[in-house]
PDB file of all heavy atoms in Angstrom:
ATOM      1  N   GLN A 346     182.626  34.644 103.519  1.00  0.00           N
ATOM      2  CA  GLN A 346     181.788  35.426 104.430  1.00  0.00           C
ATOM      3  C   GLN A 346     181.608  36.831 103.843  1.00  0.00           C
ATOM      4  O   GLN A 346     182.593  37.536 103.608  1.00  0.00           O
ATOM      5  CB  GLN A 346     182.426  35.505 105.815  1.00  0.00           C
ATOM      6  CG  GLN A 346     182.546  34.149 106.501  1.00  0.00           C
ATOM      7  CD  GLN A 346     183.236  34.240 107.849  1.00  0.00           C
ATOM      8  OE1 GLN A 346     183.531  35.329 108.334  1.00  0.00           O
ATOM      9  NE2 GLN A 346     183.491  33.095 108.461  1.00  0.00           N
ATOM     10  N   VAL A 347     180.363  37.209 103.633  1.00  0.00           N
ATOM     11  CA  VAL A 347     180.052  38.478 102.970  1.00  0.00           C
ATOM     12  C   VAL A 347     179.212  39.336 103.908  1.00  0.00           C
ATOM     13  O   VAL A 347     178.211  38.869 104.455  1.00  0.00           O
ATOM     14  CB  VAL A 347     179.291  38.243 101.650  1.00  0.00           C
ATOM     15  CG1 VAL A 347     178.995  39.576 100.961  1.00  0.00           C
ATOM     16  CG2 VAL A 347     180.089  37.332 100.725  1.00  0.00           C
ATOM     17  N   THR A 348     179.620  40.585 104.084  1.00  0.00           N
ATOM     18  CA  THR A 348     178.838  41.533 104.881  1.00  0.00           C
ATOM     19  C   THR A 348     178.678  42.837 104.100  1.00  0.00           C
ATOM     20  O   THR A 348     179.485  43.149 103.209  1.00  0.00           O
ATOM     21  CB  THR A 348     179.503  41.826 106.239  1.00  0.00           C
ATOM     22  OG1 THR A 348     180.826  42.322 106.015  1.00  0.00           O
ATOM     23  CG2 THR A 348     179.545  40.578 107.101  1.00  0.00           C
ATOM     24  N   PHE A 349     177.639  43.597 104.457  1.00  0.00           N
ATOM     25  CA  PHE A 349     177.336  44.852 103.768  1.00  0.00           C
ATOM     26  C   PHE A 349     177.139  45.951 104.805  1.00  0.00           C
ATOM     27  O   PHE A 349     176.673  45.704 105.926  1.00  0.00           O
ATOM     28  CB  PHE A 349     176.061  44.711 102.925  1.00  0.00           C
ATOM     29  CG  PHE A 349     176.102  43.604 101.916  1.00  0.00           C
ATOM     30  CD1 PHE A 349     175.567  42.351 102.211  1.00  0.00           C
ATOM     31  CD2 PHE A 349     176.689  43.795 100.680  1.00  0.00           C
ATOM     32  CE1 PHE A 349     175.609  41.321 101.291  1.00  0.00           C
ATOM     33  CE2 PHE A 349     176.746  42.773  99.744  1.00  0.00           C
ATOM     34  CZ  PHE A 349     176.204  41.532 100.051  1.00  0.00           C
ATOM     35  N   GLY A 350     177.471  47.186 104.415  1.00  0.00           N
ATOM     36  CA  GLY A 350     177.282  48.308 105.327  1.00  0.00           C
ATOM     37  C   GLY A 350     177.417  49.639 104.623  1.00  0.00           C
ATOM     38  O   GLY A 350     177.557  49.704 103.393  1.00  0.00           O
ATOM     39  N   ASP A 351     177.348  50.725 105.413  1.00  0.00           N
ATOM     40  CA  ASP A 351     177.482  52.099 104.927  1.00  0.00           C
ATOM     41  C   ASP A 351     176.482  52.370 103.800  1.00  0.00           C
ATOM     42  O   ASP A 351     176.836  52.833 102.721  1.00  0.00           O
ATOM     43  CB  ASP A 351     178.917  52.362 104.457  1.00  0.00           C
ATOM     44  CG  ASP A 351     179.223  53.855 104.365  1.00  0.00           C
ATOM     45  OD1 ASP A 351     178.424  54.658 104.882  1.00  0.00           O
ATOM     46  OD2 ASP A 351     180.237  54.219 103.740  1.00  0.00           O
ATOM     47  N   PHE A 352     175.208  52.097 104.073  1.00  0.00           N
ATOM     48  CA  PHE A 352     174.167  52.226 103.057  1.00  0.00           C
ATOM     49  C   PHE A 352     173.751  53.686 102.863  1.00  0.00           C
ATOM     50  O   PHE A 352     173.628  54.449 103.818  1.00  0.00           O
ATOM     51  CB  PHE A 352     172.924  51.426 103.468  1.00  0.00           C
ATOM     52  CG  PHE A 352     173.180  49.951 103.636  1.00  0.00           C
ATOM     53  CD1 PHE A 352     173.231  49.385 104.903  1.00  0.00           C
ATOM     54  CD2 PHE A 352     173.373  49.132 102.546  1.00  0.00           C
ATOM     55  CE1 PHE A 352     173.467  48.033 105.071  1.00  0.00           C
ATOM     56  CE2 PHE A 352     173.604  47.770 102.691  1.00  0.00           C
ATOM     57  CZ  PHE A 352     173.654  47.224 103.963  1.00  0.00           C
ATOM     58  N   VAL A 353     173.509  54.053 101.622  1.00  0.00           N
ATOM     59  CA  VAL A 353     172.963  55.365 101.269  1.00  0.00           C
ATOM     60  C   VAL A 353     171.896  55.141 100.203  1.00  0.00           C
ATOM     61  O   VAL A 353     172.091  54.344  99.282  1.00  0.00           O
ATOM     62  CB  VAL A 353     174.053  56.310 100.725  1.00  0.00           C
ATOM     63  CG1 VAL A 353     173.442  57.635 100.269  1.00  0.00           C
ATOM     64  CG2 VAL A 353     175.114  56.576 101.775  1.00  0.00           C
ATOM     65  N   THR A 354     170.758  55.812 100.325  1.00  0.00           N
ATOM     66  CA  THR A 354     169.711  55.716  99.304  1.00  0.00           C
ATOM     67  C   THR A 354     169.158  57.094  98.989  1.00  0.00           C
ATOM     68  O   THR A 354     169.201  58.009  99.814  1.00  0.00           O
ATOM     69  CB  THR A 354     168.542  54.817  99.754  1.00  0.00           C
ATOM     70  OG1 THR A 354     167.975  55.340 100.950  1.00  0.00           O
ATOM     71  CG2 THR A 354     168.997  53.386  99.976  1.00  0.00           C
ATOM     72  N   GLY A 355     168.646  57.256  97.777  1.00  0.00           N
ATOM     73  CA  GLY A 355     167.988  58.486  97.361  1.00  0.00           C
ATOM     74  C   GLY A 355     166.993  58.178  96.258  1.00  0.00           C
ATOM     75  O   GLY A 355     167.262  57.355  95.375  1.00  0.00           O
ATOM     76  N   SER A 356     165.831  58.812  96.315  1.00  0.00           N
ATOM     77  CA  SER A 356     164.763  58.521  95.361  1.00  0.00           C
ATOM     78  C   SER A 356     164.940  59.294  94.054  1.00  0.00           C
ATOM     79  O   SER A 356     165.592  60.342  94.017  1.00  0.00           O
ATOM     80  CB  SER A 356     163.398  58.870  95.972  1.00  0.00           C
ATOM     81  OG  SER A 356     163.154  58.121  97.140  1.00  0.00           O
ATOM     82  N   GLY A 357     164.344  58.786  92.999  1.00  0.00           N
ATOM     83  CA  GLY A 357     164.333  59.467  91.713  1.00  0.00           C
ATOM     84  C   GLY A 357     163.203  60.474  91.620  1.00  0.00           C
ATOM     85  O   GLY A 357     162.465  60.721  92.576  1.00  0.00           O
ATOM     86  N   PHE A 358     163.031  61.043  90.426  1.00  0.00           N
ATOM     87  CA  PHE A 358     162.045  62.106  90.231  1.00  0.00           C
ATOM     88  C   PHE A 358     161.582  62.118  88.785  1.00  0.00           C
ATOM     89  O   PHE A 358     162.368  61.897  87.857  1.00  0.00           O
ATOM     90  CB  PHE A 358     162.676  63.464  90.577  1.00  0.00           C
ATOM     91  CG  PHE A 358     161.895  64.656  90.094  1.00  0.00           C
ATOM     92  CD1 PHE A 358     160.736  65.055  90.745  1.00  0.00           C
ATOM     93  CD2 PHE A 358     162.307  65.367  88.981  1.00  0.00           C
ATOM     94  CE1 PHE A 358     160.012  66.159  90.295  1.00  0.00           C
ATOM     95  CE2 PHE A 358     161.596  66.467  88.524  1.00  0.00           C
ATOM     96  CZ  PHE A 358     160.447  66.859  89.195  1.00  0.00           C
ATOM     97  N   MET A 359     160.275  62.391  88.609  1.00  0.00           N
ATOM     98  CA  MET A 359     159.717  62.602  87.275  1.00  0.00           C
ATOM     99  C   MET A 359     158.812  63.822  87.328  1.00  0.00           C
ATOM    100  O   MET A 359     157.881  63.887  88.131  1.00  0.00           O
ATOM    101  CB  MET A 359     158.937  61.375  86.795  1.00  0.00           C
ATOM    102  CG  MET A 359     158.394  61.509  85.374  1.00  0.00           C
ATOM    103  SD  MET A 359     157.649  59.972  84.775  1.00  0.00           S
ATOM    104  CE  MET A 359     159.105  58.931  84.667  1.00  0.00           C
ATOM    105  N   ALA A 360     159.091  64.820  86.490  1.00  0.00           N
ATOM    106  CA  ALA A 360     158.341  66.075  86.518  1.00  0.00           C
ATOM    107  C   ALA A 360     156.942  65.876  85.957  1.00  0.00           C
ATOM    108  O   ALA A 360     156.681  64.974  85.153  1.00  0.00           O
ATOM    109  CB  ALA A 360     159.075  67.136  85.711  1.00  0.00           C
ATOM    110  N   GLY A 361     156.033  66.746  86.394  1.00  0.00           N
ATOM    111  CA  GLY A 361     154.684  66.753  85.840  1.00  0.00           C
ATOM    112  C   GLY A 361     154.658  67.383  84.455  1.00  0.00           C
ATOM    113  O   GLY A 361     155.700  67.745  83.885  1.00  0.00           O
ATOM    114  N   SER A 362     153.473  67.549  83.932  1.00  0.00           N
ATOM    115  CA  SER A 362     153.324  68.037  82.560  1.00  0.00           C
ATOM    116  C   SER A 362     153.649  69.520  82.415  1.00  0.00           C
ATOM    117  O   SER A 362     153.907  70.008  81.316  1.00  0.00           O
ATOM    118  CB  SER A 362     151.902  67.775  82.059  1.00  0.00           C
ATOM    119  OG  SER A 362     150.953  68.396  82.923  1.00  0.00           O
ATOM    120  N   GLY A 363     153.654  70.270  83.517  1.00  0.00           N
ATOM    121  CA  GLY A 363     154.046  71.675  83.442  1.00  0.00           C
ATOM    122  C   GLY A 363     152.863  72.620  83.484  1.00  0.00           C
ATOM    123  O   GLY A 363     151.752  72.279  83.074  1.00  0.00           O
ATOM    124  N   GLY A 364     153.104  73.821  83.985  1.00  0.00           N
ATOM    125  CA  GLY A 364     152.066  74.836  84.100  1.00  0.00           C
ATOM    126  C   GLY A 364     152.660  76.208  83.935  1.00  0.00           C
ATOM    127  O   GLY A 364     153.501  76.444  83.065  1.00  0.00           O
ATOM    128  N   ARG A 365     152.257  77.132  84.810  1.00  0.00           N
ATOM    129  CA  ARG A 365     152.671  78.533  84.695  1.00  0.00           C
ATOM    130  C   ARG A 365     154.190  78.691  84.796  1.00  0.00           C
ATOM    131  O   ARG A 365     154.799  79.443  84.036  1.00  0.00           O
ATOM    132  CB  ARG A 365     151.977  79.340  85.791  1.00  0.00           C
ATOM    133  CG  ARG A 365     152.386  80.791  85.904  1.00  0.00           C
ATOM    134  CD  ARG A 365     151.610  81.475  87.019  1.00  0.00           C
ATOM    135  NE  ARG A 365     152.116  82.809  87.304  1.00  0.00           N
ATOM    136  CZ  ARG A 365     151.646  83.590  88.263  1.00  0.00           C
ATOM    137  NH1 ARG A 365     150.654  83.157  89.033  1.00  0.00           N
ATOM    138  NH2 ARG A 365     152.152  84.800  88.461  1.00  0.00           N
TER     139      ARG A 365
END
Side-chain angles (χ1 to χ4, degrees):
Q346 296 178 6
V347 181
T348 57
F349 303 95
D351 198 13
F352 300 106
V353 176
T354 59
S356 300
F358 165 76
M359 183 173 293
S362 57
R365 175 179 171 183

